[in-house]
Amino acid sequence: MVAKRLKPLLVAAFSLGILIFSNISLAQGDHGHGAASGHKEEEKLNPSEIILDHVADGHEFHFGKITIPLPIILYSPERGFTAFMSSAFHHGTEAHNGYRLVTREYIEEHKLNEGQEKPLFEANKIYAVDASGKPDASISVLDLSMTRNVVQMLISVILLIVIMTRIAKKYESGVGVKTAPTGFQSAVEPIITFVRDEVAKPNLGHSYGKYMPLLLTIFFFILINNLIGLIPGAANVTGNIAFTAVLALVAFIVIMFSSNKHYWAHIFWPPVPLGVKFIMIPVEIMGIFTKPFALMIRLFANMISGHIIILSFICLIFIFGAMNTYLGYGTSPFFLALTVFIYLLECLVAFIQAYIFANLTAIFIGQAFEGGHEHEDVPGHEDPVVI
Amino acid sequence: MLNPSIGLILWNLIAFLVLLFILGKFAWKPILKSLKTRENNIAESLASAEKVRAEMAQLKSENEALLAKAREERAQMLKEARDTKEKIINEAKEQAKLEANKIISDAQAAIQQQKMAALTDVKNQVGNLVIEVAEKVLRRELGNKAQQENYIKELADEIKLN
């Protein structure tokens, strides 16, 4: 009983602790940046840069002052494959092996994008350098590095595989089949049955079994990355459009492979009056692509916005602090409270977005193979609610 | 932010496909199978429990029917016993009455017989006496007339005494 009562308190204390820790690390990171660039100009707080740096992908992990270098793998048609650790770049201050990590400071310092109609160089990207040591955007470089998003995603993959195969072994040994499920099994089982009974069965009908592995994988992959992404200092994997694009692509391919002639008949010969048909056909064709596109944007925007809001609240403390130290201290409890609130909200959103993605995927797949006859008697075919 | 890097997409795609394959083969399949088995087991258990319950109910009703029948039989037997008892008693009474009547009639017959015998005896004695008296009278007739009459008177008195 005591342990049960203590648990929420401990969780709250821990959450607050890591929030404060992230706060400190942010402050220190800020100082670090300032030290790197602050030689020639006076230190200035740039919240949008800080926030975008935190939510974007990167070639190293930052935990306060500790930096964990990650492997860089590059391919260039001219130079072939190259691999080394990101520490060789020394945070973008040095070129290595003919490549350079072009930072924002470097672009500003060397005025790389000046006089160009379109910015030639993007910050925090790796470019090949020519013989004189200057970055050359004309040499194409394919960056296959194990960035922090990749590393974290691979960790989540390994975690999922370990957790799920262990649970599967437990089931195979009879626990949870003849007896009640035990341990972590009982935490995962309701989610699996939820996905089966609330997501797959209502939308996919009798053939739900075929899609269960896909839906479960999508759900848990998004969920675990959402949750890991909430740990301060961790990468924001689900808030990166590459991640959501891959999932949307998979969903699109599965939808296409599940489609039957009713689906295509509905698109190319919609059950509307002839005149409207010519308006509806392009709309329906667009609809094929907007569905996965909406999946991609929804997850990406939801996850990145949560992180941005949390970081913005923390940055506000420093903005006020820059105006007046006491103002900064005075407003910090308020902003911390808001941060905790959004943080808890994000914990909820982590589950909701995983559910929405899996559910909408199931709905779209279901629409692709359901018979056309249900639609003919329903005037104005209704699309599912898209949040 | 909105232009994803090709490398990241490739890694994500590979990771997802590997995850889908491994989990699909080694996790979801056994888990879903086990869940299905368990649900079937539960459904079967419930069904069999229901069946057993129905059987129990049937058994109970059968038992009750049996009990009711037994009770009825017992009542029947008791009734029969009572009837038999009464019949025996009645028969015994009848018998007794018959016996008694017979005894009484026998007794009456015997009395009658004895009475007849006594009467006969009396008649005989009367006759004898008459004869005796007549003899005596006849013997005395030869003597005195007055004495004769006295004597007859005496004799008559003697008879009276009897």
Side-chain angles (χ1 to χ4, degrees):
Chain A
M1 273 310 281
V2 178
K4 255 187 185 171
R5 288 216 186 125
L6 222 59
K7 234 178 186 172
L9 282 177
L10 273 176
V11 169
F14 180 69
S15 318
L16 207 67
I18 51 179
L19 269 170
I20 290 164
F21 167 72
S22 78
N23 197 352
I24 291 163
S25 77
L26 183 64
Q28 283 169 341
D30 187 36
H31 272 288
H33 280 292
S37 63
H39 289 300
K40 56 189 198 88
E41 55 191 275
E42 93 180 79
E43 192 185 318
K44 203 171 166 245
L45 195 70
N46 190 341
S48 71
E49 265 177 31
I50 293 171
I51 291 169
L52 291 183
D53 278 351
H54 270 80
V55 295
D57 202 2
H59 287 285
E60 51 207 9
F61 271 111
H62 289 288
F63 289 103
K65 284 213 167 91
I66 308 156
T67 303
I68 304 166
L70 298 170
I72 304 265
I73 303 163
L74 300 168
Y75 175 76
S76 163
E78 289 93 348
R79 304 183 188 184
F81 279 102
T82 320
F84 50 90
M85 293 302 282
S86 68
S87 50
F89 282 138
H90 294 279
H91 306 291
T93 53
E94 274 175 37
H96 182 85
N97 237 344
Y99 293 100
R100 184 179 192 103
L101 178 66
V102 175
T103 60
R104 196 175 291 114
E105 292 87 10
Y106 188 85
I107 293 172
E108 278 166 16
E109 202 178 320
H110 292 83
K111 303 186 168 34
L112 289 175
N113 285 337
E114 275 180 26
Q116 307 281 349
E117 242 176 61
K118 222 171 93 186
L120 206 56
F121 291 97
E122 273 181 60
N124 295 326
K125 250 185 110 170
I126 293 170
Y127 290 93
V129 290
D130 55 21
S132 64
K134 283 203 69 172
D136 188 353
S138 61
I139 302 172
S140 61
V141 177
L142 185 58
D143 188 353
L144 297 173
S145 304
M146 310 276 278
T147 60
R148 56 180 179 182
N149 272 8
V150 174
V151 170
Q152 193 173 302
M153 183 199 60
L154 292 179
I155 291 171
S156 76
V157 166
I158 291 165
L159 261 177
L160 264 187
I161 289 175
V162 169
I163 292 171
M164 293 305 168
T165 47
R166 278 183 65 184
I167 289 175
K169 278 219 186 73
K170 239 177 170 181
Y171 275 113
E172 274 175 339
S173 70
V175 181
V177 182
K178 297 238 165 75
T179 61
T182 57
F184 204 59
Q185 218 180 352
S186 30
V188 174
E189 196 192 285
I191 304 179
I192 293 175
T193 47
F194 174 79
V195 171
R196 188 191 58 188
D197 297 336
E198 305 298 325
V199 175
K201 272 183 188 170
N203 296 314
L204 299 170
H206 293 299
S207 49
Y208 79 93
K210 205 166 53 169
Y211 298 98
M212 273 306 286
L214 176 78
L215 293 174
L216 283 172
T217 310
I218 285 179
F219 185 90
F220 280 102
F221 196 33
I222 294 174
L223 179 66
I224 195 167
N225 278 307
N226 279 352
L227 291 176
I228 293 177
L230 282 172
I231 300 169
N236 181 19
V237 176
T238 41
N240 192 298
I241 204 158
F243 179 87
T244 60
V246 165
L247 291 182
L249 179 74
V250 171
F252 176 72
I253 291 169
V254 174
I255 293 167
M256 286 301 105
F257 273 102
S258 321
S259 60
N260 61 9
K261 60 178 196 286
H262 291 289
Y263 175 73
W264 295 107
H266 189 80
I267 286 166
F268 290 111
W269 205 244
V272 287
L274 190 68
V276 189
K277 272 193 170 62
F278 297 104
I279 306 166
M280 282 307 288
I281 290 169
V283 171
E284 290 281 355
I285 291 171
M286 257 171 64
I288 304 173
F289 302 101
T290 51
K291 282 172 188 173
F293 191 75
L295 281 180
M296 170 176 87
I297 296 296
R298 180 182 308 106
L299 180 60
F300 159 70
N302 269 295
M303 293 324 294
I304 203 166
S305 63
H307 284 77
I308 288 175
I309 290 170
I310 289 177
L311 290 166
S312 303
F313 280 136
I314 292 171
C315 275
L316 271 173
I317 299 172
F318 291 93
I319 292 169
F320 279 116
M323 289 182 203
N324 182 320
T325 318
Y326 298 109
L327 187 64
Y329 279 118
T331 50
S332 58
F334 175 67
F335 289 123
L336 272 181
L338 274 177
T339 312
V340 171
F341 171 68
I342 299 291
Y343 195 89
L344 294 175
L345 195 67
E346 282 302 297
C347 293
L348 184 65
V349 168
F351 283 89
I352 293 174
Q353 287 303 323
Y355 161 66
I356 289 175
F357 199 107
N359 198 28
L360 287 179
T361 306
I363 289 173
F364 295 150
I365 294 170
Q367 282 174 350
F369 69 69
E370 74 188 348
H373 38 84
E374 290 107 325
H375 284 313
E376 263 132 39
D377 42 25
V378 178
H381 146 74
E382 258 179 79
D383 270 320
V385 182
V386 174
I387 304 155
Chain B
M1 196 163 76
L2 278 171
N3 47 343
S5 83
I6 307 292
L8 196 49
I9 288 184
L10 271 178
W11 281 112
N12 272 321
L13 190 61
I14 293 165
F16 181 79
L17 292 179
V18 167
L19 187 69
L20 182 61
F21 176 75
I22 292 179
L23 287 188
K25 203 169 163 62
F26 298 111
W28 304 139
K29 215 167 115 186
I31 290 175
L32 289 172
K33 213 181 99 197
S34 305
L35 286 179
K36 185 135 211 142
T37 317
R38 191 179 69 190
E39 272 158 26
N40 288 348
N41 275 348
I42 290 171
E44 270 169 28
S45 306
L46 284 177
S48 71
E50 186 62 30
K51 216 175 107 191
V52 167
R53 212 174 60 88
E55 270 171 17
M56 285 291 288
Q58 204 194 336
L59 222 64
K60 207 179 148 201
S61 72
E62 269 174 19
N63 276 349
E64 264 167 18
L66 223 63
L67 210 65
K69 210 175 146 202
R71 219 175 273 133
E72 203 179 314
E73 266 174 24
R74 191 192 64 174
Q76 184 79 24
M77 272 159 81
L78 279 175
K79 191 167 163 276
E80 271 172 20
R82 213 177 288 125
D83 287 353
T84 317
K85 180 188 83 176
E86 264 169 27
K87 205 174 131 203
I88 288 170
I89 288 173
N90 284 346
E91 269 174 14
K93 270 185 188 164
E94 208 76 17
Q95 192 88 21
K97 212 181 268 170
L98 278 178
E99 285 294 311
N101 285 350
K102 200 176 155 215
I103 289 169
I104 288 169
S105 67
D106 280 357
Q108 278 173 343
I111 289 168
Q112 197 68 26
Q113 209 183 337
Q114 296 224 341
K115 190 177 134 195
M116 292 309 280
L119 276 178
T120 317
D121 200 27
V122 166
K123 276 177 189 161
N124 285 346
Q125 276 192 12
V126 169
N128 281 346
L129 279 176
V130 168
I131 293 167
E132 230 174 274
V133 168
E135 195 190 280
K136 281 174 180 167
V137 168
L138 287 175
R139 247 182 237 157
R140 283 258 185 118
E141 229 179 327
L142 302 169
N144 186 332
K145 185 129 176 152
Q147 275 180 340
Q148 193 177 355
E149 275 175 5
N150 267 348
Y151 190 56
I152 291 169
K153 231 181 184 173
E154 240 171 74
L155 284 177
D157 285 345
E158 263 176 33
I159 293 164
K160 252 182 212 164
L161 282 174
N162 276 338

